[in-house]
Amino acid sequence: MGEASELPSGITGDHGQKAEQVIPPENIKQNPQNPSFNCLKQYKWWLEMAIYTLFVLAGQSVGTLLGRLYYNNGGNSNWMATFVQCAGFPVLLPFLCTSKPKNSNPEINRKKPSTSILASVYISLGIFLAAVCMLYTIGLKYLPVTTYTLICASQLGFNALFSYFLNRQKFTPYILNSLVLLTISSTLLVFQNNSEDLNKTPKAKYTLGFLCTLAASAGYALMLSVTQLAFQRIIKRETIRAIMDMSIYQNVVATFAILIGLFASGEWKNLNAEMEKFKPGKVAYVMNLFWTAISWQAFTVGCNGLIFKVSSLFSNVISILGLPIAPVLAVILLHEKMTGLKCIAMLLAMWGFISYMYQHYLDDLKMKAERKLSDDVSEVPLTETG
């Protein structure tokens, strides 16, 4: 998947120097040259990938449905709907406390970025995240779900463009096939009959929602590429702690930025009345906001994990894969009508996802072959000196 990919591989280094070292028996299990060690590392990598993918798909689908329920049941505050997308970071604090850095190598510690550089990265991305979340909120409020989904799919094209210039992402036929299929998958959803939804929204607000969602898609795609660039050039740590740091601090900054907007706009004065008028009741209002916050935090952790382990483009592919899931869940939970187009969109999304993962599988095989060849070459001095 290009130079940005982080495929499961053994710890590389100067094989010529390692060939002359005697490895104690107690260290064999942790030896990168040991096939069992490499196999275990690959399984661990795929497990992490599965968890991050689940977080993205579940978090995005549940968060979108709860956001729609918020507006359908009487919610009207754009700032509150945006606030809950970022305010769930406290649930990640226990992970931040337990995932302590294990690397005590002085050489690696010297390469760590300064606190001021990290702070500038988190603050910049946090403010950017707050703006993108607000744009998405306005789009979800004024657009039909199918149109909103269609425009969100455009972020894949934006991300492919940004990844090519910022992250040196290489495109193969399988990746291009995946991008086309996933885009078509979401595009098909716009051809449903949305006349009832269109009649509920004034033309001016509909246009505003369209433009805001398009801008949010471009902004989010750019943010993913910049996040990958920050992981590669600044953070340079392949740990769960690095992912948690990015997720938590980025959302802390975004939350405070949104809170400033909430109080400056005066919408906070209407929240009590909004809770009173919420159709399912006060408890349902609080639970809607709470689980929306949890869902979007899971989505954020999953996105950052996929960006760090693979690339921003792959993270976006998984995100686009989840877009058709929300309409399917809406059929089950909100009793919306299932159409043939939704079924076709889901199948195309799965096809595109499999195409992308097949390219990843080919890259994995290629790296294994290269590593095996390198190991064979490194064993030659041992044979000669014996």
Side-chain angles (χ1 to χ4, degrees):
M1 231 95 51
E3 300 180 13
S5 300
E6 294 287 343
L7 297 175
S9 59
I11 301 174
T12 58
D14 189 344
H15 295 289
Q17 294 179 359
K18 287 186 178 181
E20 298 177 359
Q21 296 177 358
V22 178
I23 302 175
E26 62 271 15
N27 292 340
I28 291 179
K29 292 184 179 180
Q30 298 181 352
N31 178 21
Q33 303 283 347
N34 190 354
S36 299
F37 177 86
N38 290 329
C39 184
L40 179 62
K41 189 172 183 181
Q42 290 173 14
Y43 283 129
K44 180 181 177 182
W45 186 89
W46 281 107
L47 177 62
E48 291 176 350
M49 290 290 297
I51 293 174
Y52 292 142
T53 299
L54 178 63
F55 281 176
V56 170
L57 297 179
Q60 177 180 249
S61 301
V62 175
T64 301
L65 287 177
L66 290 177
R68 173 56 61 192
L69 285 173
Y70 171 77
Y71 284 118
N72 287 349
N73 290 322
N76 195 46
S77 174
N78 291 337
W79 284 107
M80 176 54 68
T82 305
F83 174 76
V84 294
Q85 296 179 39
C86 305
F89 66 86
V91 301
L92 302 179
L93 293 179
F95 297 98
L96 187 64
C97 297
T98 56
S99 57
K100 296 180 180 180
K102 297 181 181 179
N103 201 330
S104 58
N105 191 327
E107 182 179 353
I108 295 180
N109 290 334
R110 285 196 298 267
K111 295 180 180 179
K112 290 183 178 180
S114 64
T115 303
S116 59
I117 294 178
L118 282 177
S120 63
V121 170
Y122 296 143
I123 291 174
S124 301
L125 290 176
I127 295 175
F128 202 3
L129 176 63
V132 169
C133 288
M134 172 55 76
L135 291 172
Y136 272 131
T137 298
I138 297 174
L140 185 61
K141 181 178 182 179
Y142 294 132
L143 290 179
V145 175
T146 49
T147 305
Y148 174 81
T149 304
L150 164 67
I151 303 172
C152 286
S154 65
Q155 73 188 34
L156 190 60
F158 286 121
N159 188 228
L161 180 64
F162 294 136
S163 295
Y164 179 79
F165 290 105
L166 295 180
N167 309 126
R168 296 179 294 180
Q169 178 73 48
K170 294 180 180 179
F171 293 105
T172 66
Y174 289 109
I175 291 180
L176 292 176
N177 179 60
S178 175
L179 297 179
V180 172
L181 288 173
L182 288 169
T183 302
I184 294 176
S185 169
S186 297
T187 303
L188 283 176
L189 298 176
V190 81
F191 292 105
Q192 300 177 96
N193 185 7
N194 297 313
S195 57
E196 294 182 1
D197 293 328
L198 292 174
N199 291 333
K200 296 177 182 178
T201 307
K203 186 176 180 180
K205 291 183 178 180
Y206 185 90
T207 303
L208 176 63
F210 183 93
L211 294 176
C212 286
T213 307
L214 185 64
S217 298
Y220 182 71
L222 178 60
M223 189 179 70
L224 289 179
S225 296
V226 172
T227 300
Q228 180 182 341
L229 197 63
F231 273 129
Q232 292 175 335
R233 302 290 180 85
I234 300 176
I235 298 176
K236 298 179 180 179
R237 285 183 292 148
E238 190 174 348
T239 62
I240 299 296
R241 177 62 181 265
I243 297 172
M244 288 298 172
D245 284 346
M246 176 64 75
S247 301
I248 292 174
Y249 297 133
Q250 182 181 10
N251 279 278
V252 167
V253 175
T255 299
F256 279 103
I258 295 168
L259 277 177
I260 294 174
L262 177 63
F263 285 99
S265 65
E267 284 190 5
W268 65 275
K269 300 177 182 179
N270 303 323
L271 294 181
N272 189 43
E274 181 177 282
M275 184 187 301
E276 295 285 347
K277 297 178 180 179
F278 200 68
K279 295 177 183 178
K282 296 181 181 179
V283 176
Y285 180 84
V286 175
M287 295 303 294
N288 179 284
L289 297 180
F290 174 78
W291 287 111
T292 301
I294 298 297
S295 300
W296 286 119
Q297 281 307 303
F299 174 79
T300 300
V301 172
C303 277
N304 287 334
L306 293 176
I307 290 172
F308 190 65
K309 289 295 182 180
V310 188
S311 68
S312 62
L313 184 58
F314 181 77
S315 177
N316 219 335
V317 166
I318 298 299
S319 178
I320 296 300
L321 171 67
L323 289 179
I325 296 179
V328 173
L329 292 178
V331 171
I332 300 173
L333 301 177
L334 304 180
H335 307 291
E336 292 186 0
K337 184 180 179 181
M338 171 60 79
T339 64
L341 284 177
K342 288 181 180 179
C343 295
I344 295 175
M346 192 67 179
L347 291 175
L348 287 177
M350 293 301 298
W351 185 6
F353 174 72
I354 293 173
S355 177
Y356 195 97
M357 291 304 296
Y358 182 69
Q359 178 61 54
H360 194 69
Y361 171 73
L362 294 178
D363 291 342
D364 191 21
L365 290 180
K366 181 179 179 181
M367 179 165 288
K368 286 180 181 178
E370 292 176 352
R371 185 170 63 245
K372 183 179 180 181
L373 179 61
S374 178
D375 292 343
D376 292 341
V377 173
S378 64
E379 291 176 358
V380 173
L382 287 176
T383 305
E384 293 178 354
T385 56

